[in-house]
Amino acid sequence: MRILHISDTHIGEKDHYNKESLKIALKELEDKDLDMLIHSGDLTQDGGLKHYEKAKEIFDKISIPHIIIPGNHDKRSGGLSLFKDHFGSPNGVFESQEAVVIYVDSAVPDTDIGRVGIVKYDMIKDALAEHTNKSIKIVVLHHHIVPIPKAGRERNVLSNAGDLLELFLKGDVDLVLSGHRHYPNVHRIENTVFVNAGTTSDKKTRYGDINSYNLIHIEKEKLTVKTKRIDGSKEKKYFPRKDKRIFYDFGEKIFRVVHTSNTFISSSPKFLQTHFFNALKIINSLDCDLTIHCGGVVEEGINQNYKLAKTYMQKFSMPIIYTPAGRDINYLGYELFKEYFGKMLQSYSDEEVLFRGVSSAQYDSPEGYIGETQKEELFNDLDDQKRSFKSVFLHHNILPIPHAREKGLLEDSGDFLREIVNKKIDLVLTGTSSHPSAMKIGDTVVVNANSMSSVYQRSRYGNSFNVIDIYEKAVVVYEINSLWGNRKILGIWDRNS
Amino acid sequence: MNKAAPNFYDVDMPIRSFITKRLIGVKSESSVQEAAEKMVEFSTGSLVVIEDEDIVGFITDGDIKKKVVAEGLKPDMPVKEIMVKELITADISSTIKDVLELMAEKKIQHVLIEEDDDIVGIVTFRDLIDIERQKLETYISRE
């Protein structure tokens, strides 16, 4: 199957609309092998009648199957009705013999944010269930699910991106197409390829880039994404369509780390003491080399909590390293964290492994930010360290978390994630949003921990912590229920060679 | 028990979203003891048996109990002597109900899932019960 993927055409007036760029992209339609065209939104500049008429004139000439969805610009000033009049339903399912394409409108009128509500979430879920036997499954949304680099503050990931990400991974979706940020980017998470298109014909590009579009070729064994810029330059990326499912040769176990978060120690009933002490007993029996606490050690950054936390955390029988959450450093916490638990930036290393802390917390704020200076220092440091296994840990999540509105997402996650993946960092541990998750993006395993012992948790599995076993040839991530100790595998992946 | 607890699945749903996509394997010449150690280490009740990168059999903790321990045999015997060679599989587009019916018909608790002639996952009776059990655990753990 071959797809021409265009996006953010912003058809309108000359001051921002590059008519010639769109012409170059649509010239690709002369290739008789193309099966379909997909436009992932922001068809028009302002959602007005004049722009819709202009767009219709262009797209009416297309003879192959095509899907066009609205973006935030198309829904400005009541533009959704005009979209429906000119292009039909903004949501739907396209089916061919081998493929299903599910497309949904993710734009919220008169804002830039993206959202897929409960009704449309169920629509995608039902469509994936109905078409489970199709060998190619594609979802199209205007807004992105995975943070995009060079896009400034990450505020436009879909608000329920975590639920959608979980749905797509479980449903074996092959390809997710988006636009919106005017910067082309491709990530592979597990077996799903997330393609974000640049702008095909808006003059507003990012990072000095020029207009571009994607040509996607899906074959039995591989998926190829070719990003073509209008000056004729090309970037090609290949992704295998099947991942490794059977593991039998792990080699020796070299390290076991406990990954915990949001213990929320305090004297309030919001801190679940029984859960904490049950979990502590289990952890101390697991023969672990290290515990990493990804923030939220205390419920609030006040002295009585820190005093209690110090007493409780001393009961762990292995070394522990910490990174703070916003709540750890509110009130006097900024001073108390250092007094009771040491430096804000902590790390652990031996001959083979390195765990490097990153500080993403801001005091009196739940927001997370790493900043350019810390990021540069971190990656220089990681480059200098010669270890076979490198890991970074921080409080805020860098990939969307299920059942959580994306408020815990690191604000500069797009750039950070891109660099983590480019540098093939083996493991990233995070601890916001109190829901476990583990997935591989590129060559990096990203794991989030649930709250170990607070009433504020979002998993139906209950409060939990993770254990990560690093073998010579594989990484295994378990989630362990704090109260009962039952264990389930969140993922197994080969180690990077 | 919280009667208002929601149903997390419906039996007519395709099994695809419920499968475990990672399978742990053991080589056919490995000993039964090694297989049992792997089951303990990875907290799993079954293993696929591998020969030259292919799946040639399947072994459960029940097989070890029945065919080795209860028979008074030594656990140093190779896995291939007790493995089940006829793999019982369900297609990935089967529904949860289909898989439950297969489990009942064949009197088994583990079903391998196939897609385009490849084994791509496993579903166990415990996985399906776990979904329900988790509701109870969460209910209790919330106090």
Side-chain angles (χ1 to χ4, degrees):
Chain A
M1 185 184 193
R2 289 175 192 270
I3 302 164
L4 170 60
H5 174 210
I6 62 173
S7 195
D8 298 77
T9 45
H10 291 259
I11 293 166
E13 311 308 321
K14 267 193 276 188
D15 56 340
H16 52 78
Y17 168 47
N18 267 331
K19 196 173 159 185
E20 291 310 309
S21 298
L22 183 58
K23 265 192 194 161
I24 291 170
L26 295 180
K27 214 169 167 347
E28 296 285 350
L29 293 168
E30 288 171 9
D31 177 355
K32 297 294 169 230
D33 287 337
L34 271 178
D35 296 294
M36 74 184 311
L37 174 137
I38 295 177
H39 189 309
S40 50
D42 279 0
L43 178 68
T44 67
Q45 171 61 15
D46 67 6
L49 181 61
K50 219 170 117 194
H51 294 178
Y52 269 118
E53 281 173 346
K54 222 184 234 186
K56 183 146 174 73
E57 204 189 312
I58 296 167
F59 288 96
D60 266 356
K61 289 179 194 149
I62 291 166
S63 55
I64 62 167
H66 51 283
I67 289 170
I68 298 169
I69 59 161
N72 48 310
H73 279 256
D74 302 315
K75 288 171 81 171
R76 285 185 179 171
S77 320
L80 184 60
S81 312
L82 290 172
F83 182 91
K84 287 179 184 166
D85 293 346
H86 291 82
F87 294 96
S89 174
N91 310 296
V93 177
F94 170 88
E95 200 186 332
S96 73
Q97 204 181 345
E98 55 174 359
V100 60
V101 185
I102 303 162
Y103 53 100
V104 283
D105 167 16
S106 63
V108 179
D110 293 322
T111 70
D112 290 340
I113 60 163
R115 193 173 73 92
V116 170
I118 291 165
V119 172
K120 278 188 277 191
Y121 174 88
D122 282 348
M123 186 200 121
I124 302 174
K125 191 177 169 189
D126 292 346
L128 283 174
E130 191 186 333
H131 300 283
T132 189
N133 58 347
K134 295 285 184 196
S135 60
I136 299 172
K137 301 180 194 71
I138 301 170
V139 176
V140 189
L141 304 145
H142 181 58
H143 293 79
H144 51 286
I145 303 248
V146 187
I148 305 297
K150 311 287 180 209
R153 294 173 90 192
E154 186 48 83
R155 283 285 174 89
N156 286 152
V157 150
L158 276 166
S159 58
N160 48 348
D163 287 341
L164 290 166
L165 180 58
E166 186 185 46
L167 183 67
F168 297 165
L169 298 189
K170 280 190 174 172
D172 293 330
V173 170
D174 298 279
L175 179 67
V176 179
L177 300 176
S178 309
H180 190 57
R181 290 324 295 255
H182 295 199
Y183 192 76
N185 186 65
V186 185
H187 277 303
R188 178 177 188 246
I189 302 182
E190 298 290 314
N191 242 1
T192 306
V193 178
F194 293 82
V195 178
N196 214 84
T199 165
T200 302
S201 53
D202 189 353
K203 289 180 182 169
K204 190 182 148 201
T205 59
R206 288 184 182 269
Y207 197 55
D209 203 357
I210 55 171
N211 293 134
S212 63
Y213 53 92
N214 299 314
L215 287 162
I216 297 163
H217 187 196
I218 308 172
E219 295 163 278
K220 194 164 187 279
E221 301 293 332
K222 69 175 193 291
L223 188 153
T224 311
V225 182
K226 196 198 292 178
T227 299
K228 265 181 117 171
R229 289 182 167 77
I230 48 146
D231 62 359
S233 60
K234 296 167 218 167
E235 258 175 76
K236 230 174 180 181
K237 286 184 175 145
Y238 301 94
F239 301 95
R241 288 192 62 204
K242 286 182 181 168
D243 55 355
K244 184 174 168 179
R245 299 277 170 104
I246 296 155
F247 293 80
Y248 63 92
D249 185 11
F250 296 81
E252 288 296 307
K253 192 193 287 178
I254 61 166
F255 206 84
R256 168 170 271 191
V257 58
V258 169
H259 169 214
T260 181
S261 187
N262 291 346
T263 41
F264 281 25
I265 297 171
S266 77
S267 50
S268 96
K270 306 282 168 55
F271 166 59
L272 302 170
Q273 209 177 24
T274 318
H275 292 63
F276 181 88
F277 283 103
N278 275 20
L280 174 73
K281 254 185 255 166
I282 302 160
I283 291 168
N284 283 346
S285 72
L286 285 173
D287 195 21
C288 304
D289 298 292
L290 177 73
T291 288
I292 296 183
H293 195 303
C294 280
V297 62
V298 291
E299 196 189 0
E300 298 288 350
I302 55 175
N303 196 44
Q304 66 183 69
N305 291 350
Y306 268 103
K307 218 171 147 184
L308 202 60
K310 182 77 183 173
T311 320
Y312 289 175
M313 296 308 291
Q314 270 173 345
K315 297 182 193 295
F316 280 70
S317 60
M318 73 296 299
I320 314 178
I321 48 174
Y322 300 86
T323 187
R327 64 176 60 242
D328 292 316
I329 55 171
N330 62 11
Y331 304 105
L332 192 58
Y334 189 75
E335 300 293 334
L336 296 170
F337 182 88
K338 288 182 267 189
E339 198 178 313
Y340 283 92
F341 293 114
K343 289 191 291 188
M344 292 280 183
L345 289 180
Q346 303 187 8
S347 63
Y348 175 96
S349 64
D350 66 15
E351 283 173 1
E352 291 190 81
V353 300
L354 166 72
F355 294 94
R356 167 71 152 78
V358 174
S359 171
S360 59
Q362 318 294 312
Y363 50 66
D364 286 338
S365 163
E367 285 167 7
Y369 199 78
I370 293 180
E372 204 52 34
T373 315
Q374 187 182 200
K375 186 162 70 82
E376 272 175 31
E377 265 177 30
L378 168 77
F379 287 109
N380 287 339
D381 190 24
L382 289 169
D383 283 345
D384 290 345
Q385 305 270 356
K386 304 285 173 243
R387 298 291 191 289
S388 69
F389 189 91
K390 293 178 187 177
S391 170
V392 168
F393 64 98
L394 69 159
H395 179 64
H396 291 84
N397 53 302
I398 60 168
L399 280 175
I401 305 295
H403 309 326
R405 196 169 189 278
E406 283 315 317
K407 59 184 180 186
L409 191 69
L410 191 74
E411 289 210 349
D412 40 0
S413 52
D415 290 330
F416 184 67
L417 185 63
R418 189 70 260 172
E419 203 147 348
I420 285 278
V421 172
N422 288 352
K423 290 198 180 282
K424 300 182 180 212
I425 301 303
D426 299 280
L427 176 70
V428 178
L429 303 176
T430 61
T432 40
S433 300
S434 295
H435 193 288
S437 82
M439 55 192 75
K440 193 167 198 177
I441 174 164
D443 291 313
T444 303
V445 175
V446 178
V447 187
N448 193 65
N450 188 5
S451 162
M452 188 172 101
S453 52
S454 115
V455 291
Y456 304 112
Q457 68 90 25
R458 300 168 199 265
S459 164
R460 65 170 190 257
Y461 195 61
N463 291 90
S464 65
F465 58 92
N466 303 325
V467 168
I468 296 139
D469 282 338
I470 302 158
Y471 292 83
E472 279 173 324
K473 298 179 186 170
V475 177
V476 184
V477 180
Y478 301 96
E479 181 192 3
I480 300 185
N481 180 285
S482 301
L483 193 66
W484 309 93
N486 44 324
R487 173 163 74 135
K488 65 173 181 182
I489 292 178
L490 291 182
I492 307 177
W493 301 272
D494 273 340
R495 286 268 307 269
N496 297 331
S497 44
Chain B
M1 178 90 192
N2 182 0
K3 284 188 183 158
N7 287 317
F8 289 115
Y9 66 84
D10 143 4
V11 289
D12 293 323
M13 292 266 301
I15 201 74
R16 187 186 291 273
S17 311
F18 297 91
I19 68 169
T20 301
K21 293 180 183 174
R22 297 290 186 266
L23 290 156
I24 308 221
V26 64
K27 285 190 174 172
S28 63
E29 66 270 26
S30 301
S31 69
V32 168
Q33 180 167 349
E34 283 172 68
E37 283 167 3
K38 264 195 165 160
M39 287 182 187
V40 173
E41 174 155 19
F42 298 102
S43 211
T44 177
S46 64
L47 300 169
V48 287
V49 183
I50 311 286
E51 218 171 82
D52 300 328
E53 307 288 318
D54 291 325
I55 298 180
V56 294
F58 189 69
I59 174 175
T60 66
D61 45 7
D63 292 328
I64 296 178
K65 193 165 68 181
K66 277 182 234 152
K67 299 177 188 170
V68 183
V69 184
E71 294 292 325
L73 298 174
K74 285 188 181 165
D76 59 356
M77 63 195 291
V79 163
K80 63 180 167 199
E81 288 187 19
I82 62 158
M83 70 183 185
V84 174
K85 288 179 194 153
E86 276 173 43
L87 302 177
I88 299 170
T89 61
D91 188 78
I92 192 137
S93 54
S94 317
T95 62
I96 294 178
K97 192 169 169 234
D98 297 334
V99 175
L100 282 168
E101 279 171 0
L102 184 68
M103 285 177 179
E105 185 202 322
K106 304 277 182 188
K107 297 189 175 57
I108 51 168
Q109 303 219 340
H110 305 75
V111 173
L112 292 168
I113 304 297
E114 213 171 18
E115 184 173 24
D116 301 332
D117 299 326
D118 285 332
I119 301 292
V120 294
I122 186 167
V123 173
T124 69
F125 191 64
R126 206 179 92 179
D127 293 339
L128 297 173
I129 288 178
D130 264 357
I131 297 172
E132 292 299 311
R133 194 176 65 175
Q134 283 161 23
K135 286 196 291 192
L136 181 69
E137 285 184 359
T138 307
Y139 178 70
I140 294 168
S141 68
R142 278 179 186 152
E143 290 164 342

